[in-house]
Amino acid sequence: MTDVDAFMDRLNPEMCVVTAVAGAERSGCLVGFSSQCSIRPVRFAVWLSKANHTYRVAQAAACLTVHLLDRDQHGLAALFGGQTGDRVDKFAQVRWTRGHGGSVVLEDAAAWFVGTVEQRVDAGDHVGFVLAPVQWGGRAGDPPLRLDDALDISPGHPA
């Protein structure tokens, strides 16, 4: 194990589900790389794997929706993290509604926001999407789902 691995292994970020819509195509995936990246103006970045179906849809999307899950929503995380939109219509299995710009909002998420894509940053095997929040919602929630809670989910695509 390298020193950087020892550092990375200590992280336990909140997991989120990111959904994207472009034309008639929609997709969503479980994401472990995300963070607020500016205070004024408020900006948030999510990083999508280039191997992921959601990445391909997000490339043409004007906005993305970021959903936070509670720890007890492991099943929802497993659906969006363990299945691929290349083969499965995940949205047929969940309650959702349309949000700003035709975005998809998962109704059972603990908290969510729709953000317009302000910038895309290629960083190797992932691309960062810098988002400007334009619509949001949520409820009082339990502890958030974190990486340690989702380690048993086998990815729908290789990492």
Side-chain angles (χ1 to χ4, degrees), residues 63-80:
C63 54
L64 303 178
T65 308
V66 179
H67 307 82
L68 294 179
L69 305 179
D70 290 337
R71 189 174 296 147
D72 66 354
Q73 293 181 297
H74 186 274
L76 189 57
L79 173 64
F80 280 90

Side-chain angles (χ1 to χ4, degrees), residues 46-50 55 59 119-130:
V46 295
W47 298 84
L48 302 180
S49 168
K50 291 178 182 178
Y55 165 75
Q59 281 295 92
Q119 186 175 4
R120 291 172 177 86
V121 180
D122 190 321
D125 61 1
H126 282 67
V127 171
F129 292 76
V130 178

Side-chain angles (χ1 to χ4, degrees), residues 30-114:
L30 186 65
V31 171
F33 302 151
S34 66
S35 178
Q36 183 174 348
C37 58
S38 176
I39 297 170
R40 286 192 181 84
V42 173
R43 295 291 184 267
F44 194 88
V46 295
W47 298 84
L48 302 180
S49 168
K50 291 178 182 178
N52 196 301
H53 180 261
T54 304
Y55 165 75
R56 293 190 301 275
V57 176
Q59 281 295 92
C63 54
L64 303 178
T65 308
V66 179
H67 307 82
L68 294 179
L69 305 179
D70 290 337
R71 189 174 296 147
D72 66 354
Q73 293 181 297
H74 186 274
L76 189 57
L79 173 64
F80 280 90
Q83 300 291 322
T84 173
D86 291 317
R87 294 186 290 273
V88 175
D89 180 2
K90 301 172 195 179
F91 300 97
Q93 302 177 51
V94 297
R95 296 180 329 129
W96 61 274
T97 190
R98 292 279 181 198
H100 175 85
S103 61
V104 171
V105 176
L106 303 178
E107 293 181 14
D108 293 325
W112 58 271
F113 79 88
V114 177

